Amino acid sequence: MAAGYGELLRTPHAARLLTGTLLGRLPNATAALAVLLFARAEGGSYALAGALSAVYGAANAVGQPLLGRAVDHLGQPRVMLPAAVASALGMVLFAVVGLEPLPVAYAAMLIAGLFTPPLEGGLRALWPTVLRREDQVHAAYALDAVAQEVMFAVGPLLVTLSVAVWSEAAALLVINAVGVAGALSVVISRPSRQWRSAPREAHWLGALRSPGLLVLLGSFFFIGLALGAIAVAAVAYADEHGGGAVSSALLSALGVGALVGGIVYGGRTWPGAPERRLRLLVAALALGYLPLVLVPGVVTMTVLAGVAGVFLAPALACAFVVVDRHAPSGTVTEAFSWLVTTFVVGNAVGTAVAGPAVQFGGVVPGFTVPAAGGAAALAVLLAAQRFLLDGPRPVVRPTMYRTPDEPRAENDRNHAAEPGFRARHQA
């Protein structure tokens, strides 16, 4: 297993792209905490800090697929780096102006969120051009999912350390400077500069015209909902069982479970169609959420949280493969960006739903929300499975590793012309 990951990371450009993408995504991963700490330091209320973070999150959800579509059309360097700089400048404006005048603070959040570069989708579009074997691409998706867990665990620590050493404003500046450096490292790399999307059919829906992709997005909306609800329910559980350290333990256990599951999943080759495998992984994920409703003692609850997280990273990694197979030609970055947006929106909805559930019903209803979310995610896959199983086309190897007589292709697997559209039109 370790040898397989080692071989993957020794492939030219692989470690650099993974590291640069993680650093480039650091501002997004830490925005909620960094904005909260800065707003509070400036004398703002928790409600105001939450509103600013909500503006950032909403703008980010809108910007990711739009920028992803621009990347598919214009290439990575021409979109990613200007977007990263614009997003960082939005945070710089926020750090300089503070909360007064308030409209400027909201505008800064809007800019920072809207122009967050779609590095996550961009990396997944690059993997098939960097790695020579399909099993390595699948392992890279799993490693990507694992790295996300590490980033979301380490990122808040870096913000807290920056605040302790300097200040809340400095933390905003440092984290976003690191983000720009990470984006720069990615876009000046050879794979990023040479990557070109396949020709795309003109369609205002872009990637969303794929029925299989819509099914996947619907399912992962509910998985995002489940995770958002767990965070709220964990805090409510901690209030009844010893305080904030307990909620941290539960969420850490969830993350550790995802790390272990992702490493094991990516360490071997799995037979069969990934669409069928995804149903099994989501079913296991949904089953893992059910025992949390029992709300046992802290030790048992922590173990259950770890078990609940085991299938998260494998489900994400498998979903990346399915997105790759179902994205219409020329829309792969946009498709991955839609997955990010759907997951984030689901997470926010889960938080919003779990809050009243805990407020009026207690801890058990709070943990019922993620259980229901997992069940809904599985139900979507089962109800619309024909769209997933009928969609993908035969694999065509990426441009960098094809023979001269093979057709040009990007990493997406749907290369058939869409009915009703003319190939000469470019979106």
Side-chain angles (χ1 to χ4, degrees):
M1 184 185 301
Y5 284 122
E7 180 186 6
L8 187 158
L9 292 174
R10 285 193 298 272
T11 302
H13 307 291
R16 172 182 177 173
L17 289 173
L18 180 62
T19 303
T21 298
L22 290 176
L23 293 177
R25 289 165 54 196
L26 193 61
N28 190 26
T30 59
L33 177 60
V35 169
L36 171 64
L37 294 176
F38 179 73
R40 291 293 293 157
E42 291 290 302
S45 66
Y46 281 106
L48 176 58
L52 289 167
S53 294
V55 169
Y56 176 92
N60 183 270
V62 172
Q64 287 292 295
L66 293 179
L67 290 171
R69 181 176 292 197
V71 167
D72 286 325
H73 185 51
L74 301 172
Q76 293 196 358
R78 294 171 66 182
V79 177
M80 296 284 198
L81 188 57
V85 171
S87 179
L89 289 176
M91 282 297 187
V92 169
L93 177 63
F94 183 53
V96 171
V97 172
L99 302 180
E100 295 294 340
L102 193 56
V104 175
Y106 278 115
M109 289 295 96
L110 182 66
I111 293 169
L114 188 64
F115 289 99
T116 298
L119 290 164
E120 192 171 347
L123 175 64
R124 290 162 197 160
L126 289 177
W127 281 133
T129 68
V130 174
L131 304 171
R132 295 178 179 273
R133 303 197 312 268
E134 189 171 359
D135 64 307
Q136 285 187 317
V137 174
H138 293 186
Y141 287 148
L143 188 61
D144 187 0
V146 168
Q148 283 190 95
E149 298 297 328
V150 175
M151 181 184 64
F152 281 100
V154 173
L157 295 178
L158 294 178
V159 172
T160 304
L161 179 62
S162 297
V163 170
V165 174
W166 297 298
S167 67
E168 290 80 4
L172 282 173
L173 299 177
V174 169
I175 293 297
N176 281 273
V178 171
V180 172
L184 178 63
S185 175
V186 170
V187 300
I188 64 175
S189 68
R190 183 168 65 90
S192 181
R193 288 184 286 107
Q194 293 184 347
W195 183 85
R196 294 294 182 273
S197 173
R200 63 185 289 156
E201 301 293 338
H203 196 296
W204 69 276
L205 282 175
L208 295 183
R209 69 182 183 270
S210 165
L213 180 62
L214 291 177
V215 172
L216 188 70
L217 296 180
S219 178
F220 272 76
F221 167 83
F222 287 108
I223 293 177
L225 182 149
L227 289 178
I230 284 178
V232 175
V235 173
Y237 177 87
D239 288 340
E240 296 183 2
H241 294 81
V246 174
S247 64
S248 297
L250 294 181
L251 296 178
S252 295
L254 197 72
V256 169
L259 284 172
V260 172
I263 291 172
V264 172
Y265 176 81
R268 58 159 293 180
T269 301
W270 299 90
E275 291 83 4
R276 299 182 187 277
R277 186 163 66 250
L278 181 63
R279 291 207 311 266
L280 296 176
L281 291 170
V282 172
L285 186 64
L287 286 174
Y289 292 145
L290 288 176
L292 298 176
V293 178
L294 301 175
V295 291
V298 173
V299 174
T300 304
M301 193 66 172
T302 303
V303 173
L304 291 178
V307 172
V310 165
F311 290 98
L312 176 60
L316 283 171
C318 190
F320 299 156
V321 177
V322 175
V323 169
D324 194 23
R325 288 161 60 87
H326 285 264
S329 179
T331 68
V332 65
T333 310
E334 179 190 345
F336 279 123
S337 299
W338 272 117
L339 183 63
V340 174
T341 287
T342 303
F343 201 78
V344 169
V345 171
N347 195 283
V349 171
T351 301
V353 171
V358 168
Q359 181 72 31
F360 298 108
V363 177
V364 172
F367 280 110
T368 301
V369 176
L378 178 61
V380 169
L381 292 181
L382 293 176
Q385 59 182 317
R386 68 184 182 90
F387 295 109
L388 281 175
L389 296 178
D390 293 344
R393 302 303 175 105
V395 172
V396 181
R397 286 194 292 159
T399 305
M400 289 177 66
Y401 301 118
R402 63 183 172 91
T403 58
D405 59 336
E406 287 180 325
R408 183 191 182 279
E410 64 176 333
N411 61 312
D412 67 274
R413 308 308 195 224
N414 280 350
H415 299 282
E418 295 291 330
F421 302 100
R422 291 166 290 179
R424 68 176 179 271
H425 289 172
Q426 296 297 307

